[in-house]
Amino acid sequence: PSPPTRGSLPIVVGIHGGGWEFGYPEWAGFGALTVCATPALYITPAYALGLGEQQAWPESRDDLLAALRWVVEHAKEYGGDPARIILTGHSAGAHLAACLGLDPPLLRSAGVSPSAIKALFLVSGPVGLRAQDFAPAHWLWRFWVGRPLIWWLYRKGVSPNLRAVVGSPPEPTAVLAASPLARLAEQDPAELPGLVHVTYGGKRDFPFCKPQAKRLRAELERLGRSATSAPRVEVLEMSECDHFGTHWALAEPGSEWIAALQTALKES
């Protein structure tokens, strides 16, 4: 085939996971060959980490905002189209991708047009960090007996793993700011990405992944019913994969995830 013209390639920005504490861009970069074969540019930025010692939020989010602004400003130098960007991430990286892609005012504040983000591909990551976001069923949070139990589980078992984002003890302002699911109602659906694709593994993936994916879909669909334009939502369950298996599947040429990404790249 003819080589793409300069500035015509869509761009995939892949954000690595690591529990907001550890990791490096190469964790996401292992899938570069598969993604670039579409063809596309693949960029994997670094960001502030807790390193087991400190709260890295909001620096982690702001580092990625700065990286995204750099991509927009320099994409054409590498043959990329700054108006055709897909954000993706696994685990903590999926959470941070959602924090950027589902917050159009935040993007604009960094000099990035929300319309440049054509799709979000979120893999095995949380989109809400509030106690109720980790309830196995939403009705349980509303039940008078369930709420104290969920709060107790959140304080003892969940929030220590979120320390690099929400602090210890959890800071309510950080929890809300880092919970795009909680703030979707504030957003203009027409400014959100045209596609939100959410992937989770089977029973061996983290237990919050499936319920949060379903809640995100339900909230986006609710927004769509009252708007003329809203994201299309796709949910993919990789039933044979655990939390890390969904990560490795991102580099498999024949995987359903790659097929969905390739379709989104061609449509962007």
Side-chain angles (χ1 to χ4, degrees), residues 30 75 110 255:
F30 79 99
S255 74

Side-chain angles (χ1 to χ4, degrees), residues 33-64:
L33 288 177
T34 305
V35 173
C36 291
T38 302
L41 292 184
Y42 192 37
I43 298 172
T44 59
Y47 57 91
L49 299 167
L51 301 177
E53 300 176 352
Q54 61 195 10
Q55 184 178 1
W57 177 275
E59 288 80 4
S60 52
R61 178 201 63 192
D62 294 344
D63 284 349
L64 292 167

